[in-house]
Structures are given as C-alpha cells and as structure tokens.
Amino acid sequence: MDVMLELEKRRQTAREGGGQRRIEAQHGKGKLTARERVELLLDEGSFEEFDMFVAHRCIDFGMEAERPAGDGVVTGWGTINGRMVYVFSQDFTVFGGSLSETHAKKICKIMDMAIQNGAPVIGINDSGGARIQEGVASLAGYAEVFQRNIMASGVVPQISLIMGPCAGGAVYSPAMTDFIFMVKDSSYMFVTGPDVVKTVTNEVVSAEDLGGASTHTKKSSVADGAYENDIEMLAEARRLFDFLPLNNRQKAPVRPFFDDPARLESSLDTLIPDNPNQPYDMKELIHKVADEGDFFEIQRDYAANIITGFVRLEGQTVGVVANQPMVLAGCLDIDASRKAARFVRFCDAFEIPILTLVDVPGFLPGVAQELGGVIKHGAKLLFAYGEATVPKVTVITRKAYGGAYDVMASKHLRGDFNYAWPTAEIAVMGAKGAVEILYRSELGDKDKIAARVKDYETRFANPFVAAEKGFIDEVIHPQSTRKRVARAFASLRGKKQSNPWKKHDNIPL
Ligand code: HXC
C-alpha cells in the first residue's frame, strides 16, 4: 500500500509544477497553467501523460538542488472529438518553461511517436527559451526538436499555440509547423527581444509591437490567427483540428451534415453588382456554399485581398482559396500569393481538395511590387497550384484577367472542374485597358473609343469564348453553385494523379 501512496504523492508533486505561488502568478497574468490548457484542449479524461517524473541532469549553478518532476513540460497524448493527437505543453511555472536537454527529449519522444503512429502534434509554447544554466545542451535540444518538425512536415499536421513568451531561436520550431495561433496581449514571438533590438539598432519598440499577436497576424504573417484569451484559442484549435486528417495517408474526417448538398441559393444570382468596378463580399459566396455556412478562416487579418480557409461539403473538408474584390479589387500581390501558396501546399500535402473562387483583375502593378519580387512570389502560387494533385474545382464569378487567370487553378494547371458564372469575364485584360493599347491612335475620339470598348466587352467580357475552347467546362447558374461544386468533388473522390519522380521540387522560395 505504501508504494501506491508513494506514487500518488509523487504524482501530486509533479502536478503542482513550480508551486502554488507561481501558479497564482501565471493566473494573475490571465494565463492558464500547462495542465489546465491540456485539459481544455483534449476530450475530458482522454489525456495520457508520458515522462511525468523526468528531471533535468544539470549540475551547474546549483541546479542539482532543484530537480522538479517533469522538467517544465507536460507531454503525452489524448483525443479531440475522439481523434488522436500528441501534445506538449510548456510549464512556465518551472524555470520559466525554459528548454533543457531533458525537456527537449520529452518533446522529441512524442514527436517521434506522432510520426511513427500517424497522429498530429499540437505544441503549447510558453517559455523563456533556452535553459540558461544548461548552455549548449539546451541549444542541442532545440535543434533536435527542429529536425523532428522538419521530418514531420507533410507527414502529420503540426499546430503551434503560442501562449506566453517564445523568443530566440525557439521561435523556429513553431515557424516550421503548419499553423500558429497567438493569444492577444499575453504571447510574443521574436528572434531578438526589444532590449537586444535597442542595443543593436537603437530602435525603441515594445514587446507587443515587435512580436505580439497583432504584429504577427497583420504585418509579418508569421501567425495564422489571434485570439482573445487562452480559452478561446484552445476551443478554436479543437475546431481547426476537426477539419484536418490525422496524417498524409488518411483523408480528413467526414462529419455528419444537416445541410442539403443540392441547396439552391437564389440570392447568389444577384451577388455580382451591375457595375463591374463595384466590389462585393466574396465571403458571402463561401458561407453560402459551405455546409451549414461554417468557414474556418486562416490568416484572416493578412493580405485580405485573398481569402484562405476550410469549409466542408457533404461533411468532407475542402480548402477554399478566393479572391476578395473588397480589398485591392481582389488583385494578386506578393503577400496574397505567398499566403495562398502556403495554404494550397498544405492542402495538397494532406489530401484536402481545393475549391478556388476567382474574381481577379490581375497582378497588382507597382514599383514596390516589382522591386519586392512579385515575379518570384507570384510564381509560388502558380507553382503550388500546378504541382497540386488533389481534386481542384474552380468557379470564376467575375473577372479572370491575364496571368492571374492562369494562376488561379485554371484548366491548364490541371483544374478538374472549371466552372464560370454567366457574369464571368475571361480575357487578357479589362476592355478599357485593351482598347487603349489596340487603338492608341484613336484615343482623342471619345465616341470611337467608347464604341471600341463596347465591342471588346461583347466579344471578350464573357465566359463563352473560354467555354468554346473547353477551358471552362460549364457555365453555371450562381444559385446552383453549392450543388454543382459538391457534385464535382463527389465525382473526384477516387482521383489519382501523380507527378514525375523527383527528390523534391524547387519551388521559388
Ligand atoms: C532558466 C528561466 C529562463 C531561462 C526564465 N526563467 N527564463 N530560467 N532559463 N531562459 C526563470 C526565471 O529565473 C524565473 O525563475 C522564472 O523563470 C520566471 O521568470 P520571470 O523573469 O520572473 O518572468 P517574467 O517577468 O514573466 O519574464 C519572462 C521572460 C523573462 C520575458 C521570459 O524571464 C526572460 O527574459 N527570460 C530570459 C529569456 C532569454 O534570454 N532566454 C534565452 C534566449 S536565447 P523563478 O525561480 O524566479 O520563478 C534562446 C536561444 C534558443 O532561447 C536557441 C535555439 C536555437
């Protein structure tokens, strides 16, 4: 009996982490503890812990006197809505969640199991970085984690939840995972913090401005979503998890749905304004196509001229990429291309079909774009669509001009179903621009030019020229979009397509 008591006593001590005083300090900052987070993330009672009694081996700086069980990270596995996931959760109450050699070994152990057994990894990051007392052993530990992030990439989904400080090279582990969420006002990511920045460059900046949730979701695009508090983020992480497959050999789960796949939406017939230069909200179309209107958006606050995220059709996950006419008229630019390319590649790696909704007047012109390398960055999206072998269904609602027409999952990039609404305009450019080039000598004569524009519009500003060539498979009624798209994806469930053998490709990075 004594041994049982001993076990319970040891467990109790381990669960207390850095002790009540530090737990209260953690709560005082509006943060949950490592264990509370795991409890909220996983299904009730599903968590199975590993390595609860692991302690560090450091004997420098008097560390041998303090060897708390668990060494600052809680690791193990459990389920989210019944599906398996590996988790690590750094415990800020133990040496500030800093990463020691043994702390890293615990993380590596569950990552190895995740890769071997084909289940995602969710990492909860709340750490002062490298365990300063351990020096290079800690750096080695980080690199071991990095290597596993790289090996797991494209094999199992990896999600990083940043729920406290995350600084120094430590940010590179989350950076190599598929999705990063941050909590507003209590999480930070930077390679060098405000103090170092001040010393080196003399720039004065707050931690929030340098690496807070707003900075990373709106400006740097390092993070994919920002949430009000720990609880909201953990709930949203569960929601995202439900859209994803467990690994690259399985399909995403099929959820029960209570929405007629053949549902007609007559309001879509009037979504496109009469004036071709007037914007409309592409999100309305996404919501009306999706099962129960449910849309999980990725990178909502960055490059809003393109929309990326997940919906379900007939209960199956579909990745959506859509131009947003409300922002920059839906033009593709550097930021939008990078954002969408990464999303397309995630979907392709994990066998998630892609729905592309097109209303794009072209690539954004400008010196800043050209000097910023729009050629290379735009090519990312082109490349990503062209290499993707998952089912690809495209709907052109209005403009599909120039190179951007080609890029946005056109027939020529192995689009499986390429639909257009009757309002579609598929052409090299808009009528006005085209006429100004073709009839430069007549520019002085307003009436003549107006007639030329009209003529160009009737001949080219429609979907039928492309449909005559078979580049558009069918011109569909907007109200029937959900039905047509759902049927298209249903017909593609057995799709098998492969690319020529290669070690890996050389996407323009
Ligand atoms: C050991 C650490 C620690 C660390 C914090 N602690 N960071 N112990 N190694 N890196 C300990 C503190 O001593 C303290 O212990 C407890 O954690 C809480 O820290 P506080 O400073 O009281 O908390 P707070 O005021 O909230 O500040 C949090 C913090 C700050 C911003 C993270 O602690 C900090 O700046 N820490 C150092 C960060 C750093 O320079 N890390 C190394 C970066 S280089 P007690 O006993 O008092 O509770 C790096 C390289 C990685 O990470 C390279 C990978 C390739």
Side-chain angles (χ1 to χ4, degrees):
M1 209 53 201
D2 282 355
V3 283
M4 305 290 179
L5 286 175
E6 169 75 8
L7 171 63
E8 272 322 304
K9 209 172 109 218
R10 280 178 178 259
R11 279 187 173 173
Q12 192 48 39
T13 313
R15 285 195 194 105
E16 278 163 16
Q20 206 52 40
R21 181 178 59 82
R22 293 196 185 89
I23 290 175
E24 275 160 26
Q26 177 86 348
H27 286 159
K29 291 180 201 155
K31 292 159 70 182
L32 297 172
T33 65
R35 285 177 190 279
E36 288 164 347
R37 288 166 174 169
V38 170
E39 291 297 318
L40 280 179
L41 177 67
L42 301 178
D43 296 338
E44 205 180 334
S46 75
F47 182 55
E48 298 275 349
E49 187 163 351
F50 284 125
D51 292 339
M52 193 182 209
F53 304 118
V54 161
H56 71 75
R57 299 172 198 146
C58 180
I59 48 166
D60 291 313
F61 304 101
M63 286 292 278
E64 63 276 22
E66 211 183 334
R67 299 180 69 235
D71 203 27
V73 62
V74 179
T75 61
W77 67 276
T79 58
I80 293 180
N81 287 323
R83 298 165 69 237
M84 186 155 165
V85 62
Y86 288 88
V87 184
F88 70 84
S89 180
Q90 291 179 315
D91 184 350
F92 192 80
T93 69
V94 177
F95 304 125
S98 59
L99 185 135
S100 67
E101 185 181 4
T102 40
H103 177 127
K105 277 207 160 75
K106 285 182 66 173
I107 295 176
C108 289
K109 186 190 268 187
I110 60 131
M111 292 186 77
D112 287 339
M113 293 184 83
I115 296 168
Q116 177 187 290
N117 302 333
V121 181
I122 299 182
I124 298 176
N125 296 263
D126 185 0
S127 165
R131 175 93 43 95
I132 293 166
Q133 297 90 333
E134 292 207 8
V136 70
S138 167
L139 300 186
Y142 269 120
E144 295 283 345
V145 175
F146 298 160
Q147 181 65 47
R148 282 161 181 80
N149 287 132
I150 297 161
M151 291 301 103
S153 181
V155 177
V156 293
Q158 302 179 79
I159 300 173
S160 297
L161 308 181
I162 314 295
M163 307 186 84
C166 185
V171 293
Y172 284 111
S173 171
M176 289 187 292
T177 61
D178 298 301
F179 300 104
I180 301 180
F181 288 171
M182 295 183 74
V183 185
K184 290 181 192 166
D185 303 321
S186 63
S187 73
Y188 305 95
M189 294 178 81
F190 26 67
V191 174
T192 53
D195 295 345
V196 179
V197 168
K198 167 113 187 14
T199 312
V200 178
T201 68
N202 222 8
E203 291 164 298
V204 177
V205 62
S206 66
E208 188 63 37
D209 287 345
L210 190 64
S214 169
T215 296
H216 285 314
T217 49
K218 293 181 182 154
K219 294 189 184 138
S220 74
S221 87
V222 163
D224 300 286
Y227 299 95
E228 293 301 325
N229 52 50
D230 285 17
I231 295 171
E232 188 192 33
M233 178 199 277
L234 294 163
E236 288 298 296
R238 285 177 61 93
R239 213 179 126 219
L240 172 63
F241 185 86
D242 280 349
F243 282 96
L244 310 180
L246 294 181
N247 58 60
N248 61 345
R249 290 172 192 275
Q250 286 186 20
K251 298 240 164 154
V254 182
R255 293 277 148 186
F257 59 99
F258 307 94
D259 193 358
D260 181 6
R263 168 168 53 78
L264 297 178
E265 277 290 346
S266 54
S267 63
L268 290 179
D269 287 342
T270 51
L271 181 65
I272 305 294
D274 290 337
N275 177 349
N277 295 321
Q278 200 178 319
Y280 60 92
D281 190 358
M282 188 62 103
K283 278 190 192 162
E284 191 178 331
L285 174 57
I286 298 172
H287 286 289
K288 285 182 173 159
V289 166
D291 283 359
E292 284 110 24
D294 188 21
F295 177 47
F296 191 96
E297 191 165 357
I298 300 292
Q299 298 230 339
R300 189 195 63 194
D301 299 324
Y302 183 77
N305 42 331
I306 206 152
I307 306 166
T308 54
F310 299 105
V311 297
R312 290 191 188 85
L313 285 170
E314 298 192 81
Q316 298 207 320
T317 304
V318 170
V320 179
V321 179
N323 307 116
Q324 172 59 289
M326 310 254 289
V327 181
L328 290 175
C331 273
L332 285 179
D333 62 355
I334 293 172
D335 295 346
S337 302
R338 284 178 42 239
K339 167 179 165 180
R342 182 158 166 82
F343 183 75
V344 166
R345 295 192 101 216
F346 175 82
C347 291
D348 190 49
F350 289 103
E351 279 305 311
I352 295 173
I354 300 166
L355 171 64
T356 306
L357 305 174
V358 184
D359 186 349
V360 64
F363 275 95
L364 181 70
V367 176
Q369 287 292 310
E370 297 293 344
L371 298 195
V374 68
I375 298 175
K376 183 170 272 187
H377 298 294
K380 291 184 164 104
L381 184 54
L382 173 59
F383 198 113
Y385 266 126
E387 72 176 343
T389 55
V390 289
K392 293 185 277 197
V393 176
T394 304
V395 180
I396 300 175
T397 58
R398 188 166 64 172
K399 295 169 193 165
Y401 290 165
Y405 154 76
D406 279 341
V407 170
M408 294 301 294
S410 64
K411 195 82 207 158
H412 328 288
L413 298 181
R414 305 190 294 184
D416 295 297
F417 280 74
N418 290 75
Y419 287 137
W421 285 5
T423 42
E425 305 167 21
I426 305 166
V428 175
M429 57 175 68
K432 199 164 157 286
V435 167
E436 280 171 9
I437 292 169
L438 291 178
Y439 305 103
R440 191 163 290 164
S441 59
E442 296 173 10
L443 283 181
D445 188 337
K446 263 189 164 172
D447 292 343
K448 223 171 184 179
I449 287 294
R452 296 281 192 200
V453 169
K454 188 98 206 92
D455 181 45
Y456 187 95
E457 274 172 4
T458 5
R459 285 174 63 190
F460 295 113
N462 62 61
F464 300 107
V465 181
E468 278 170 24
K469 295 186 192 301
F471 302 159
I472 292 299
D473 298 299
E474 180 77 302
V475 181
I476 62 170
H477 284 291
Q479 61 167 295
S480 68
T481 305
R482 172 173 159 84
K483 180 175 139 205
R484 304 297 291 249
V485 167
R487 292 205 78 203
F489 280 120
S491 79
L492 292 166
R493 287 205 183 119
K495 179 179 176 185
K496 285 217 169 16
Q497 186 173 44
S498 55
N499 296 331
W501 186 91
K502 53 181 95 174
K503 188 168 174 197
H504 57 71
D505 58 41
N506 189 16
I507 188 166
L509 290 175

